[in-house]
mmCIF file of all heavy atoms in Angstrom:
data_model
loop_
_atom_site.group_PDB
_atom_site.id
_atom_site.type_symbol
_atom_site.label_atom_id
_atom_site.label_comp_id
_atom_site.label_asym_id
_atom_site.label_seq_id
_atom_site.Cartn_x
_atom_site.Cartn_y
_atom_site.Cartn_z
ATOM 1 N N THR D 23 22.245 36.214 -53.331
ATOM 2 C CA THR D 23 22.257 36.865 -52.037
ATOM 3 C C THR D 23 23.837 36.851 -51.566
ATOM 4 O O THR D 23 24.615 35.982 -51.954
ATOM 5 C CB THR D 23 21.430 36.090 -50.984
ATOM 6 O OG1 THR D 23 21.887 34.789 -50.890
ATOM 7 C CG2 THR D 23 19.941 36.095 -51.569
ATOM 8 N N LYS D 24 23.904 37.580 -50.463
ATOM 9 C CA LYS D 24 25.385 37.711 -49.881
ATOM 10 C C LYS D 24 25.729 36.450 -49.274
ATOM 11 O O LYS D 24 26.971 36.119 -49.318
ATOM 12 C CB LYS D 24 25.395 38.899 -48.863
ATOM 13 C CG LYS D 24 25.378 40.303 -49.407
ATOM 14 C CD LYS D 24 25.499 41.216 -48.217
ATOM 15 C CE LYS D 24 25.516 42.624 -48.909
ATOM 16 N NZ LYS D 24 25.747 43.716 -47.768
ATOM 17 N N ASP D 25 24.737 35.721 -48.772
ATOM 18 C CA ASP D 25 25.267 34.466 -48.067
ATOM 19 C C ASP D 25 24.936 33.183 -48.987
ATOM 20 O O ASP D 25 24.915 32.085 -48.516
ATOM 21 C CB ASP D 25 24.325 34.222 -46.752
ATOM 22 C CG ASP D 25 22.855 34.183 -46.914
ATOM 23 O OD1 ASP D 25 22.368 34.411 -48.085
ATOM 24 O OD2 ASP D 25 22.143 33.736 -46.010
ATOM 25 N N SER D 26 24.844 33.385 -50.288
ATOM 26 C CA SER D 26 24.640 32.283 -51.168
ATOM 27 C C SER D 26 25.747 31.350 -51.273
ATOM 28 O O SER D 26 26.843 31.672 -50.898
ATOM 29 C CB SER D 26 24.438 32.804 -52.681
ATOM 30 O OG SER D 26 25.499 33.347 -53.200
ATOM 31 N N ILE D 27 25.557 30.125 -51.771
ATOM 32 C CA ILE D 27 26.456 29.126 -51.881
ATOM 33 C C ILE D 27 26.428 28.505 -53.380
ATOM 34 O O ILE D 27 25.347 28.561 -53.961
ATOM 35 C CB ILE D 27 26.380 27.963 -50.878
ATOM 36 C CG1 ILE D 27 24.929 27.386 -50.959
ATOM 37 C CG2 ILE D 27 26.643 28.383 -49.587
ATOM 38 C CD1 ILE D 27 24.710 26.149 -50.084
ATOM 39 N N PHE D 28 27.487 28.070 -53.873
ATOM 40 C CA PHE D 28 27.621 27.341 -55.061
ATOM 41 C C PHE D 28 27.589 25.889 -54.849
ATOM 42 O O PHE D 28 28.483 25.402 -54.044
ATOM 43 C CB PHE D 28 28.692 27.769 -55.981
ATOM 44 C CG PHE D 28 28.952 26.941 -57.152
ATOM 45 C CD1 PHE D 28 28.034 26.993 -58.326
ATOM 46 C CD2 PHE D 28 30.044 25.921 -57.118
ATOM 47 C CE1 PHE D 28 28.325 26.180 -59.347
ATOM 48 C CE2 PHE D 28 30.185 25.105 -58.338
ATOM 49 C CZ PHE D 28 29.354 25.235 -59.368
ATOM 50 N N MET D 29 26.811 25.109 -55.501
ATOM 51 C CA MET D 29 26.847 23.628 -55.357
ATOM 52 C C MET D 29 27.060 22.941 -56.799
ATOM 53 O O MET D 29 26.602 23.375 -57.803
ATOM 54 C CB MET D 29 25.486 23.155 -54.715
ATOM 55 C CG MET D 29 25.171 23.853 -53.403
ATOM 56 S SD MET D 29 23.660 23.176 -52.617
ATOM 57 C CE MET D 29 24.257 21.682 -51.803
ATOM 58 N N HIS D 30 27.702 21.698 -56.723
ATOM 59 C CA HIS D 30 27.975 20.908 -57.858
ATOM 60 C C HIS D 30 28.113 19.458 -57.434
ATOM 61 O O HIS D 30 28.797 19.182 -56.464
ATOM 62 C CB HIS D 30 29.174 21.321 -58.559
ATOM 63 C CG HIS D 30 29.343 20.882 -59.955
ATOM 64 N ND1 HIS D 30 29.353 19.609 -60.288
ATOM 65 C CD2 HIS D 30 29.706 21.616 -61.100
ATOM 66 C CE1 HIS D 30 29.619 19.365 -61.510
ATOM 67 N NE2 HIS D 30 29.757 20.699 -62.150
ATOM 68 N N CYS D 31 27.502 18.451 -58.142
ATOM 69 C CA CYS D 31 27.522 17.092 -57.730
ATOM 70 C C CYS D 31 28.863 16.516 -58.073
ATOM 71 O O CYS D 31 29.149 15.387 -57.460
ATOM 72 C CB CYS D 31 26.318 16.275 -58.296
ATOM 73 S SG CYS D 31 26.276 16.393 -59.989
ATOM 74 N N LEU D 32 29.610 17.065 -58.894
ATOM 75 C CA LEU D 32 30.879 16.614 -59.310
ATOM 76 C C LEU D 32 30.875 15.350 -60.149
ATOM 77 O O LEU D 32 29.902 14.549 -59.902
ATOM 78 C CB LEU D 32 31.897 16.466 -58.177
ATOM 79 C CG LEU D 32 32.256 17.706 -57.317
ATOM 80 C CD1 LEU D 32 33.176 17.389 -56.097
ATOM 81 C CD2 LEU D 32 32.750 18.870 -58.167
ATOM 82 N N PRO D 33 31.669 14.997 -60.997
ATOM 83 C CA PRO D 33 32.972 15.781 -61.364
ATOM 84 C C PRO D 33 32.538 16.989 -62.125
ATOM 85 O O PRO D 33 31.534 17.118 -62.767
ATOM 86 C CB PRO D 33 33.644 14.812 -62.275
ATOM 87 C CG PRO D 33 32.615 13.897 -62.979
ATOM 88 C CD PRO D 33 31.660 13.807 -61.807
ATOM 89 N N ALA D 34 33.395 18.070 -62.064
ATOM 90 C CA ALA D 34 33.105 19.395 -62.729
ATOM 91 C C ALA D 34 34.185 19.506 -63.835
ATOM 92 O O ALA D 34 35.270 18.984 -63.860
ATOM 93 C CB ALA D 34 33.397 20.483 -61.644
ATOM 94 N N HIS D 35 33.687 20.380 -64.854
ATOM 95 C CA HIS D 35 34.575 20.638 -65.993
ATOM 96 C C HIS D 35 34.735 22.193 -65.953
ATOM 97 O O HIS D 35 33.907 23.002 -66.396
ATOM 98 C CB HIS D 35 34.077 20.246 -67.297
ATOM 99 C CG HIS D 35 34.000 18.728 -67.492
ATOM 100 N ND1 HIS D 35 33.159 18.137 -68.322
ATOM 101 C CD2 HIS D 35 34.775 17.751 -66.685
ATOM 102 C CE1 HIS D 35 33.406 16.822 -68.162
ATOM 103 N NE2 HIS D 35 34.282 16.531 -67.279
ATOM 104 N N ARG D 36 35.776 22.649 -65.316
ATOM 105 C CA ARG D 36 36.068 24.138 -65.177
ATOM 106 C C ARG D 36 36.197 24.703 -66.552
ATOM 107 O O ARG D 36 36.896 24.148 -67.399
ATOM 108 C CB ARG D 36 37.306 24.376 -64.322
ATOM 109 C CG ARG D 36 37.132 23.997 -62.836
ATOM 110 C CD ARG D 36 38.478 23.826 -62.236
ATOM 111 N NE ARG D 36 38.296 23.663 -60.712
ATOM 112 C CZ ARG D 36 38.095 22.436 -60.137
ATOM 113 N NH1 ARG D 36 37.906 21.403 -60.912
ATOM 114 N NH2 ARG D 36 37.890 22.306 -58.867
ATOM 115 N N GLY D 37 35.485 25.844 -66.753
ATOM 116 C CA GLY D 37 35.635 26.634 -67.997
ATOM 117 C C GLY D 37 34.420 26.174 -69.007
ATOM 118 O O GLY D 37 34.255 26.642 -69.914
ATOM 119 N N GLU D 38 33.675 25.114 -68.526
ATOM 120 C CA GLU D 38 32.431 24.754 -69.206
ATOM 121 C C GLU D 38 31.160 25.137 -68.482
ATOM 122 O O GLU D 38 30.754 26.299 -68.537
ATOM 123 C CB GLU D 38 32.451 23.265 -69.558
ATOM 124 C CG GLU D 38 33.484 22.854 -70.498
ATOM 125 C CD GLU D 38 33.537 21.405 -70.880
ATOM 126 O OE1 GLU D 38 32.588 20.623 -70.439
ATOM 127 O OE2 GLU D 38 34.542 20.895 -71.651
ATOM 128 N N GLU D 39 30.630 24.315 -67.634
ATOM 129 C CA GLU D 39 29.418 24.599 -66.874
ATOM 130 C C GLU D 39 29.747 25.577 -65.677
ATOM 131 O O GLU D 39 28.728 26.219 -65.278
ATOM 132 C CB GLU D 39 28.706 23.311 -66.440
ATOM 133 C CG GLU D 39 29.427 22.633 -65.126
ATOM 134 C CD GLU D 39 30.491 21.784 -65.408
ATOM 135 O OE1 GLU D 39 30.901 21.619 -66.704
ATOM 136 O OE2 GLU D 39 31.024 21.041 -64.443
ATOM 137 N N VAL D 40 31.049 25.616 -65.279
ATOM 138 C CA VAL D 40 31.365 26.570 -64.130
ATOM 139 C C VAL D 40 32.654 27.151 -64.270
ATOM 140 O O VAL D 40 33.684 26.468 -64.802
ATOM 141 C CB VAL D 40 31.253 25.755 -62.740
ATOM 142 C CG1 VAL D 40 32.257 24.661 -62.777
ATOM 143 C CG2 VAL D 40 31.430 26.821 -61.614
ATOM 144 N N ALA D 41 32.867 28.385 -63.835
ATOM 145 C CA ALA D 41 34.152 29.026 -63.915
ATOM 146 C C ALA D 41 34.943 28.521 -62.788
ATOM 147 O O ALA D 41 34.411 28.192 -61.674
ATOM 148 C CB ALA D 41 33.925 30.550 -63.870
ATOM 149 N N ALA D 42 36.353 28.392 -62.943
ATOM 150 C CA ALA D 42 37.229 28.023 -61.881
ATOM 151 C C ALA D 42 37.164 28.888 -60.755
ATOM 152 O O ALA D 42 37.166 28.500 -59.632
ATOM 153 C CB ALA D 42 38.630 27.946 -62.392
ATOM 154 N N SER D 43 36.918 30.187 -60.953
ATOM 155 C CA SER D 43 36.880 31.111 -59.895
ATOM 156 C C SER D 43 35.529 30.984 -58.914
ATOM 157 O O SER D 43 35.655 31.306 -57.774
ATOM 158 C CB SER D 43 36.843 32.547 -60.392
ATOM 159 O OG SER D 43 35.683 32.781 -61.306
ATOM 160 N N VAL D 44 34.630 30.267 -59.596
ATOM 161 C CA VAL D 44 33.457 29.984 -58.725
ATOM 162 C C VAL D 44 33.507 28.738 -57.940
ATOM 163 O O VAL D 44 33.417 28.698 -56.700
ATOM 164 C CB VAL D 44 32.197 29.921 -59.554
ATOM 165 C CG1 VAL D 44 30.933 29.497 -58.805
ATOM 166 C CG2 VAL D 44 31.832 31.294 -60.222
ATOM 167 N N ILE D 45 34.017 27.665 -58.666
ATOM 168 C CA ILE D 45 33.955 26.340 -57.989
ATOM 169 C C ILE D 45 35.106 26.359 -56.878
ATOM 170 O O ILE D 45 35.005 25.603 -55.896
ATOM 171 C CB ILE D 45 34.060 25.142 -58.923
ATOM 172 C CG1 ILE D 45 33.800 23.945 -58.238
ATOM 173 C CG2 ILE D 45 35.351 25.169 -59.717
ATOM 174 C CD1 ILE D 45 33.579 22.686 -59.141
ATOM 175 N N ASP D 46 36.181 27.020 -57.211
ATOM 176 C CA ASP D 46 37.227 27.090 -56.331
ATOM 177 C C ASP D 46 37.252 28.384 -55.294
ATOM 178 O O ASP D 46 38.151 28.578 -54.523
ATOM 179 C CB ASP D 46 38.630 27.070 -56.976
ATOM 180 C CG ASP D 46 38.704 25.791 -57.870
ATOM 181 O OD1 ASP D 46 38.418 24.740 -57.312
ATOM 182 O OD2 ASP D 46 39.203 25.836 -58.969
ATOM 183 N N GLY D 47 36.097 29.060 -55.425
ATOM 184 C CA GLY D 47 35.959 30.305 -54.617
ATOM 185 C C GLY D 47 35.354 30.145 -53.258
ATOM 186 O O GLY D 47 35.009 28.885 -52.847
ATOM 187 N N ALA D 48 35.155 31.208 -52.664
ATOM 188 C CA ALA D 48 34.701 31.192 -51.132
ATOM 189 C C ALA D 48 33.262 30.711 -51.017
ATOM 190 O O ALA D 48 32.867 30.113 -50.064
ATOM 191 C CB ALA D 48 34.753 32.554 -50.508
ATOM 192 N N LYS D 49 32.373 30.778 -52.031
ATOM 193 C CA LYS D 49 31.006 30.408 -51.831
ATOM 194 C C LYS D 49 30.729 28.866 -52.167
ATOM 195 O O LYS D 49 29.702 28.376 -51.937
ATOM 196 C CB LYS D 49 30.125 31.186 -52.853
ATOM 197 C CG LYS D 49 29.916 32.636 -52.400
ATOM 198 C CD LYS D 49 28.999 33.483 -53.312
ATOM 199 C CE LYS D 49 28.696 34.774 -52.821
ATOM 200 N NZ LYS D 49 27.763 34.865 -51.659
ATOM 201 N N SER D 50 31.802 28.298 -52.685
ATOM 202 C CA SER D 50 31.646 26.897 -53.116
ATOM 203 C C SER D 50 31.621 25.829 -51.866
ATOM 204 O O SER D 50 32.471 26.085 -51.016
ATOM 205 C CB SER D 50 32.874 26.438 -54.047
ATOM 206 O OG SER D 50 32.821 25.176 -54.376
ATOM 207 N N VAL D 51 30.658 24.961 -51.994
ATOM 208 C CA VAL D 51 30.534 23.959 -50.953
ATOM 209 C C VAL D 51 30.710 22.540 -51.439
ATOM 210 O O VAL D 51 30.152 21.674 -50.894
ATOM 211 C CB VAL D 51 29.236 24.116 -50.178
ATOM 212 C CG1 VAL D 51 29.145 25.452 -49.419
ATOM 213 C CG2 VAL D 51 28.007 24.025 -51.119
ATOM 214 N N VAL D 52 31.341 22.388 -52.639
ATOM 215 C CA VAL D 52 31.294 21.167 -53.413
ATOM 216 C C VAL D 52 31.987 19.977 -52.548
ATOM 217 O O VAL D 52 31.554 18.847 -52.731
ATOM 218 C CB VAL D 52 31.857 21.344 -54.763
ATOM 219 C CG1 VAL D 52 31.045 22.252 -55.613
ATOM 220 C CG2 VAL D 52 33.438 21.589 -54.690
ATOM 221 N N TRP D 53 32.981 20.316 -51.854
ATOM 222 C CA TRP D 53 33.675 19.250 -51.102
ATOM 223 C C TRP D 53 32.880 18.756 -49.777
ATOM 224 O O TRP D 53 32.873 17.674 -49.597
ATOM 225 C CB TRP D 53 35.176 19.797 -50.635
ATOM 226 C CG TRP D 53 35.822 20.543 -51.733
ATOM 227 C CD1 TRP D 53 36.275 21.839 -51.879
ATOM 228 C CD2 TRP D 53 36.187 19.926 -52.902
ATOM 229 N NE1 TRP D 53 36.878 22.025 -52.879
ATOM 230 C CE2 TRP D 53 36.835 20.847 -53.755
ATOM 231 C CE3 TRP D 53 35.906 18.631 -53.536
ATOM 232 C CZ2 TRP D 53 37.255 20.586 -54.996
ATOM 233 C CZ3 TRP D 53 36.401 18.393 -54.816
ATOM 234 C CH2 TRP D 53 37.108 19.464 -55.541
ATOM 235 N N ARG D 54 32.069 19.695 -49.280
ATOM 236 C CA ARG D 54 31.128 19.282 -48.301
ATOM 237 C C ARG D 54 29.949 18.461 -48.747
ATOM 238 O O ARG D 54 29.592 17.411 -48.046
ATOM 239 C CB ARG D 54 30.525 20.561 -47.575
ATOM 240 C CG ARG D 54 29.917 20.254 -46.074
ATOM 241 C CD ARG D 54 30.811 19.575 -45.139
ATOM 242 N NE ARG D 54 30.134 19.385 -43.905
ATOM 243 C CZ ARG D 54 30.700 18.771 -42.860
ATOM 244 N NH1 ARG D 54 31.952 18.310 -42.974
ATOM 245 N NH2 ARG D 54 30.046 18.692 -41.719
ATOM 246 N N GLU D 55 29.627 18.768 -49.906
ATOM 247 C CA GLU D 55 28.633 17.848 -50.625
ATOM 248 C C GLU D 55 29.112 16.467 -50.793
ATOM 249 O O GLU D 55 28.384 15.471 -50.495
ATOM 250 C CB GLU D 55 28.269 18.515 -52.001
ATOM 251 C CG GLU D 55 27.382 19.634 -52.021
ATOM 252 C CD GLU D 55 27.225 20.180 -53.471
ATOM 253 O OE1 GLU D 55 26.338 19.552 -54.108
ATOM 254 O OE2 GLU D 55 27.989 21.005 -53.873
ATOM 255 N N ALA D 56 30.316 16.356 -51.215
ATOM 256 C CA ALA D 56 31.035 15.029 -51.442
ATOM 257 C C ALA D 56 31.194 14.346 -50.148
ATOM 258 O O ALA D 56 30.887 13.141 -50.064
ATOM 259 C CB ALA D 56 32.415 15.214 -52.129
ATOM 260 N N PHE D 57 31.545 15.022 -49.103
ATOM 261 C CA PHE D 57 31.568 14.387 -47.805
ATOM 262 C C PHE D 57 30.272 13.739 -47.334
ATOM 263 O O PHE D 57 30.310 12.698 -46.773
ATOM 264 C CB PHE D 57 32.108 15.476 -46.771
ATOM 265 C CG PHE D 57 31.986 14.963 -45.357
ATOM 266 C CD1 PHE D 57 32.972 14.185 -44.699
ATOM 267 C CD2 PHE D 57 30.825 15.467 -44.522
ATOM 268 C CE1 PHE D 57 32.747 13.781 -43.379
ATOM 269 C CE2 PHE D 57 30.755 14.991 -43.260
ATOM 270 C CZ PHE D 57 31.716 14.203 -42.578
ATOM 271 N N HIS D 58 29.254 14.470 -47.579
ATOM 272 C CA HIS D 58 28.060 14.044 -47.127
ATOM 273 C C HIS D 58 27.409 12.955 -48.058
ATOM 274 O O HIS D 58 26.369 12.327 -47.646
ATOM 275 C CB HIS D 58 26.960 15.174 -46.899
ATOM 276 C CG HIS D 58 27.177 15.865 -45.680
ATOM 277 N ND1 HIS D 58 27.048 15.177 -44.385
ATOM 278 C CD2 HIS D 58 27.392 17.219 -45.378
ATOM 279 C CE1 HIS D 58 27.306 16.063 -43.435
ATOM 280 N NE2 HIS D 58 27.462 17.281 -44.070
ATOM 281 N N ARG D 59 27.935 12.515 -49.061
ATOM 282 C CA ARG D 59 27.603 11.382 -49.821
ATOM 283 C C ARG D 59 27.704 10.150 -48.865
ATOM 284 O O ARG D 59 26.851 9.152 -48.844
ATOM 285 C CB ARG D 59 28.463 11.172 -51.092
ATOM 286 C CG ARG D 59 28.222 12.105 -52.114
ATOM 287 C CD ARG D 59 26.883 12.346 -52.639
ATOM 288 N NE ARG D 59 26.134 11.116 -52.987
ATOM 289 C CZ ARG D 59 26.423 10.428 -54.144
ATOM 290 N NH1 ARG D 59 27.177 10.840 -54.982
ATOM 291 N NH2 ARG D 59 25.628 9.252 -54.347
ATOM 292 N N ARG D 60 28.812 10.109 -47.949
ATOM 293 C CA ARG D 60 29.026 8.956 -47.186
ATOM 294 C C ARG D 60 27.974 8.992 -46.014
ATOM 295 O O ARG D 60 27.230 8.023 -45.727
ATOM 296 C CB ARG D 60 30.394 8.957 -46.535
ATOM 297 C CG ARG D 60 30.753 7.706 -45.752
ATOM 298 C CD ARG D 60 30.524 7.868 -44.297
ATOM 299 N NE ARG D 60 31.133 9.043 -43.704
ATOM 300 C CZ ARG D 60 30.992 9.458 -42.451
ATOM 301 N NH1 ARG D 60 30.086 8.970 -41.669
ATOM 302 N NH2 ARG D 60 31.829 10.408 -41.951
ATOM 303 N N THR D 61 27.818 10.105 -45.416
ATOM 304 C CA THR D 61 26.907 10.176 -44.306
ATOM 305 C C THR D 61 25.495 9.905 -44.515
ATOM 306 O O THR D 61 24.742 9.251 -43.735
ATOM 307 C CB THR D 61 26.999 11.554 -43.513
ATOM 308 O OG1 THR D 61 26.365 12.630 -44.371
ATOM 309 C CG2 THR D 61 28.504 11.962 -43.119
ATOM 310 N N THR D 62 25.066 10.346 -45.837
ATOM 311 C CA THR D 62 23.615 10.208 -46.154
ATOM 312 C C THR D 62 23.343 8.632 -46.546
ATOM 313 O O THR D 62 22.359 8.161 -46.325
ATOM 314 C CB THR D 62 23.159 11.162 -47.193
ATOM 315 O OG1 THR D 62 24.101 11.130 -48.207
ATOM 316 C CG2 THR D 62 22.949 12.493 -46.600
ATOM 317 N N ILE D 63 24.375 8.055 -47.299
ATOM 318 C CA ILE D 63 24.167 6.744 -47.653
ATOM 319 C C ILE D 63 24.198 5.889 -46.455
ATOM 320 O O ILE D 63 23.483 4.812 -46.293
ATOM 321 C CB ILE D 63 25.258 6.266 -48.745
ATOM 322 C CG1 ILE D 63 25.044 6.953 -50.072
ATOM 323 C CG2 ILE D 63 25.295 4.759 -48.941
ATOM 324 C CD1 ILE D 63 25.996 6.723 -51.149
ATOM 325 N N GLN D 64 25.074 6.127 -45.505
ATOM 326 C CA GLN D 64 25.187 5.403 -44.287
ATOM 327 C C GLN D 64 23.842 5.513 -43.475
ATOM 328 O O GLN D 64 23.352 4.461 -43.071
ATOM 329 C CB GLN D 64 26.241 5.951 -43.417
ATOM 330 C CG GLN D 64 26.586 5.117 -42.122
ATOM 331 C CD GLN D 64 27.784 5.570 -41.416
ATOM 332 O OE1 GLN D 64 28.532 6.518 -41.930
ATOM 333 N NE2 GLN D 64 28.029 5.155 -40.240
ATOM 334 N N ALA D 65 23.210 6.673 -43.525
ATOM 335 C CA ALA D 65 21.926 6.892 -42.790
ATOM 336 C C ALA D 65 20.896 6.149 -43.537
ATOM 337 O O ALA D 65 20.031 5.485 -43.001
ATOM 338 C CB ALA D 65 21.577 8.391 -42.778
ATOM 339 N N LEU D 66 20.897 6.132 -44.907
ATOM 340 C CA LEU D 66 19.835 5.325 -45.628
ATOM 341 C C LEU D 66 19.906 3.853 -45.455
ATOM 342 O O LEU D 66 18.960 3.250 -45.153
ATOM 343 C CB LEU D 66 20.102 5.613 -47.151
ATOM 344 C CG LEU D 66 19.316 6.719 -47.856
ATOM 345 C CD1 LEU D 66 19.797 6.651 -49.282
ATOM 346 C CD2 LEU D 66 17.863 6.284 -47.754
ATOM 347 N N LEU D 67 21.167 3.356 -45.405
ATOM 348 C CA LEU D 67 21.343 1.921 -45.195
ATOM 349 C C LEU D 67 20.804 1.570 -43.846
ATOM 350 O O LEU D 67 20.158 0.545 -43.612
ATOM 351 C CB LEU D 67 22.876 1.548 -45.340
ATOM 352 C CG LEU D 67 23.346 1.372 -46.727
ATOM 353 C CD1 LEU D 67 24.905 1.299 -46.691
ATOM 354 C CD2 LEU D 67 22.823 -0.048 -47.318
#
């Protein structure tokens, strides 16, 4: 879809499971996922 996002739990291997143009592109939210590892573990605790 036009408003779609790309997600990856990281670490990533560009050129294998994902193209660099995708993970580093406008639809990628991988850094926000990484940010929320802290907020969700904090909430869980």
Side-chain angles (χ1 to χ4, degrees):
T23 62
K24 285 185 178 180
D25 64 349
S26 67
I27 56 176
F28 169 74
M29 305 183 79
H30 193 307
C31 55
L32 302 178
H35 294 159
R36 290 163 175 81
E38 292 180 8
E39 76 275 5
V40 61
S43 56
V44 172
I45 193 170
D46 299 319
K49 288 180 176 287
S50 177
V51 294
V52 299
W53 312 120
R54 192 63 177 172
E55 289 175 82
F57 167 80
H58 278 305
R59 294 304 308 283
R60 187 268 298 171
T61 69
T62 46
I63 289 174
Q64 190 173 348
L66 260 180
L67 282 168

